[in-house]
């Protein structure tokens, strides 16, 4: 997530923060990765449950409006669409068929929108990032607060720690 979060930044966990408010698009979150890793991963929430998400020609669209990544971020070089109650990457990859974290059809309220409890996350280096375009959805549970960075006071970051169980 550099340069957004510099190496060595202090992050504090508040597991009750999202009890009072909901995660927002653009929140930077920390979560337990879907693969074995010594460290949690840090990503940005791009789309929320119920959002219509589409990535085409290196541009991100959320609910029909272009989502602009922060300065320093790299645009994705893949296409993504939600259709038929699943997530497709580059027109043919169905994450559900690959055993990734796409919720069951019963979680979807609409065939073309992110299902209940599903947050789509992306790293600032989208093309080199292990993120939702590869592993699917994550669910929220708490919030991370960024510690002092170059003399600045703590600032909010989100935390997501649970992912949907792998589909069989």
């Amino acid at each position: 997530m550099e340069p957004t979060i510099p190496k060595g930044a202090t992050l504090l966990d508040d597991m009750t923060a999202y009890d009072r408010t909901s995660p927002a698009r653009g929140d930077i979150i920390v979560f337990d990765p879907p693969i074995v890793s010594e460290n949690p991963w840090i990503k940005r929430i791009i789309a929320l449950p119920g959002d219509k998400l589409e990535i085409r020609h290196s541009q991100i669209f959320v609910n029909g409006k272009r989502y602009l990544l922060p300065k320093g971020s790299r645009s994705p070089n893949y296409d993504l669409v939600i259709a038929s109650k699943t997530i497709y990457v580059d027109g043919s990859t169905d994450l559900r068929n690959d055993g990734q974290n796409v919720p069951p059809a019963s979680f979807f309220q609409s065939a073309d929108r992110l299902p209940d409890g599903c947050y789509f996350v992306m790293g600032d280096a989208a093309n080199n990032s292990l993120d939702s375009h590869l592993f699917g959805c994550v669910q929220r549970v708490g919030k991370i607060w960024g510690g002092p960075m170059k003399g600045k006071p703590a600032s909010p970051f989100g935390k997501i720690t649970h992912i949907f169980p792998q589909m069989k």
Side-chain angles (χ1 to χ4, degrees), residues 109-126:
Q109 298 299 313
S110 175
D112 66 346
R113 295 183 178 271
L114 287 173
D116 293 345
C118 179
Y119 292 82
F120 188 93
V121 299
M122 182 182 293
D124 281 356

Side-chain angles (χ1 to χ4, degrees), residues 26 30 33 36 51 56 58 63 68-69 74 81 86 91 95 112 124-126 128 137 150 154 163:
V30 164
V36 176
D51 280 348
R56 62 181 186 269
S58 296
N63 300 324
L68 298 175
L69 293 170
R74 294 188 192 106
V81 67
T86 195
L95 295 177
D112 66 346
D124 281 356
N128 296 321
C137 301
K150 298 182 183 175
I163 57 173

Side-chain angles (χ1 to χ4, degrees), residues 9 13 19-20 31 34-35 38 45 67 69 78 80 94 115-116 138 150-151 156:
D13 190 353
D19 292 345
R20 297 180 296 277
F31 62 99
I35 63 172
E38 291 181 16
I45 296 175
Y67 179 87
L69 293 170
Y78 51 84
L80 181 140
D94 178 348
D116 293 345
V138 292
K150 298 182 183 175

